[in-house]
Amino acid sequence: PVSPAADPAVISPQDPTLLIGSSLVATCTVSPDFHLKAEDLYWTLNGRRLPAASYAALGPTTLSVALARLNGSKQQSGDNLVCHSRDGGILAGSCLYVGLPPEKPVNITCWSKNMKDLTCKWAPGTEGETFLHTNYTLKYKLRWYGRDNTCQEYHTAGPYSCHIPKDLALFTPYEIWVEASNRLGVAVSDVVMLDILDVVTTDPPSDVHVSRVGDLEDQLSVRWSSPPALKDFLFQAKYQIQYRVEDSSEWKVVDDVGNQTSCRLAGLRPGTVYFVQVRCNPFGIYGSKKAGIWSDWSNPTAASTPRSERAAGGCDPKGGEQNTTLRRELKQFFGWVKKHAYGCSNLGIKLYDQWRVWLQKSHKTRNQVGKEP
């Protein structure tokens, strides 16, 4: 009778860890209780039968298999090397962990949402793939005193990231580093030093509204609210706008918005739907000298410019001639505005609006005079 506690067979080595390119000789020794001989056995790797030419009987109940130039494990839980009886039954198994030691993590970047937390992300070395389960640990401490702390909330901003939700000190630099470890070794990143005040970002601006500017067919007005979470902190802010037409994937960026929470987009196409986004850079937090970190873009907000009445067409050659002249004048003047007033300058846009209204009135008066008998 077979003892219920007896293992059918034993594989040696059991669950080895090997470098890519290594060779291995494994043995399967059957328990005498099972009355099996070496010639009654065969091997599989990940369910695939290994060729008999790689076997060798090392005794009446022991069969070896030779594996040369091993590739990286196909799964991080290890490749399954199994010893079978002739009828296919599983006698014993071993996991082969074949891979590389971890590389030094690189490119650590961190940001704080509203000075109450810290999120960091990194890259897993130049190659990254080790073929083994590799564990990453973010550690941090106050630069001049205090003990090492370990981040607990991983994968919050991607596969190589961690979030520290609270208990952070201001006005004191931190040392931050990442340790990578697997079955073949440990690698430690360079230490990054930062002050929370230097890496503050925020949520995108809220309440973004885009609207027409009267009947001006080439302009839209954009308004938004400053980030509410920073209202109690001493900081400056600058904003960027990007916009695109409905049928295009190319965004145009307006860089010179400054710290105002509204802007006029000019030089647009009449009768066209535009998508607009805004983002914020809070900088100078409590006098920090760093440039600040841009927020994500706000969700796209859409609006359309009015259709041009003058572009509606007509069969009057004289009217078409006047329309061409007017467009040429507009183009010339707007070129002057762009050259001298830089994007969102209130003075340039105000002057341009006044000129447009005068020109439209003048054009309408000429048409009415021309129609009089």
Side-chain angles (χ1 to χ4, degrees), residues 30-308:
V30 183
S31 169
D33 294 338
F34 284 80
H35 307 293
L36 293 171
K37 302 297 183 184
E39 58 264 27
D40 297 323
L41 311 179
Y42 71 89
W43 294 88
T44 62
L45 181 63
N46 291 332
R48 188 172 182 178
R49 190 163 180 158
L50 294 171
S54 61
Y55 303 167
L58 301 184
T61 59
T62 300
L63 183 70
S64 71
V65 63
L67 302 172
R69 296 183 298 278
L70 290 166
N71 294 321
S73 296
K74 296 183 182 301
Q75 48 202 18
Q76 290 191 345
S77 57
D79 291 337
N80 297 314
L81 181 64
V82 179
C83 177
H84 299 262
S85 59
R86 181 177 293 171
D87 61 3
I90 296 175
L91 300 176
S94 177
C95 285
L96 305 186
Y97 298 95
V98 185
L100 298 168
E103 294 188 60
K104 183 173 77 171
V106 295
N107 299 337
I108 299 174
T109 57
C110 303
W111 62 94
S112 173
K113 279 290 185 73
N114 316 321
M115 290 183 285
K116 298 176 182 177
D117 66 350
L118 190 68
T119 299
C120 296
K121 64 180 181 179
W122 60 90
T126 54
E127 296 296 333
E129 180 58 74
T130 65
F131 300 95
L132 302 174
H133 174 70
T134 301
N135 188 57
Y136 293 89
T137 305
L138 179 81
K139 294 189 175 182
Y140 62 101
K141 69 173 184 177
L142 292 169
R143 182 179 180 186
W144 292 298
Y145 55 90
R147 56 181 179 82
D148 292 0
N149 298 284
T150 300
C151 185
Q152 302 295 328
E153 299 181 10
Y154 290 88
H155 313 297
T156 55
Y160 304 106
S161 65
C162 196
H163 176 240
I164 305 167
K166 59 182 180 178
D167 299 329
L168 292 166
L170 300 179
F171 307 103
T172 304
Y174 277 92
E175 293 182 357
I176 297 173
W177 67 98
V178 177
E179 297 179 358
S181 62
N182 67 17
R183 289 171 170 266
L184 286 171
V186 176
V188 182
S189 73
D190 294 335
V191 174
V192 172
M193 283 185 291
L194 61 84
D195 192 311
I196 304 299
L197 299 178
D198 294 335
V199 294
V200 176
T201 186
T202 185
D203 293 322
S206 58
D207 303 322
V208 178
H209 297 280
V210 184
S211 57
R212 295 180 176 183
V213 183
D215 294 328
L216 298 178
E217 73 274 7
D218 64 345
Q219 297 188 29
L220 289 172
S221 175
V222 187
R223 294 179 293 106
W224 60 91
S225 299
S226 59
L230 290 179
K231 65 181 180 180
D232 297 328
F233 300 111
L234 181 63
F235 76 104
Q236 297 170 279
K238 56 184 176 182
Y239 298 93
Q240 273 185 343
I241 296 174
Q242 68 175 11
Y243 63 95
R244 65 174 175 86
V245 297
E246 184 178 23
D247 57 355
S248 172
S249 59
E250 182 180 348
W251 293 91
K252 294 184 177 180
V253 178
V254 181
D255 278 316
D256 55 340
V257 181
N259 63 356
Q260 58 191 355
T261 55
S262 65
C263 183
R264 185 82 62 84
L265 301 178
L268 308 179
R269 293 190 336 214
T272 303
V273 175
Y274 282 87
F275 289 97
V276 181
Q277 294 178 293
V278 185
R279 67 177 181 174
C280 175
N281 184 330
F283 68 99
I285 304 282
Y286 289 127
S288 168
K289 303 299 184 183
K290 295 298 177 71
I293 299 175
W294 286 104
S295 73
D296 293 332
W297 290 102
S298 64
N299 292 325
T301 302
S304 63
T305 51
R307 294 188 179 277
S308 173

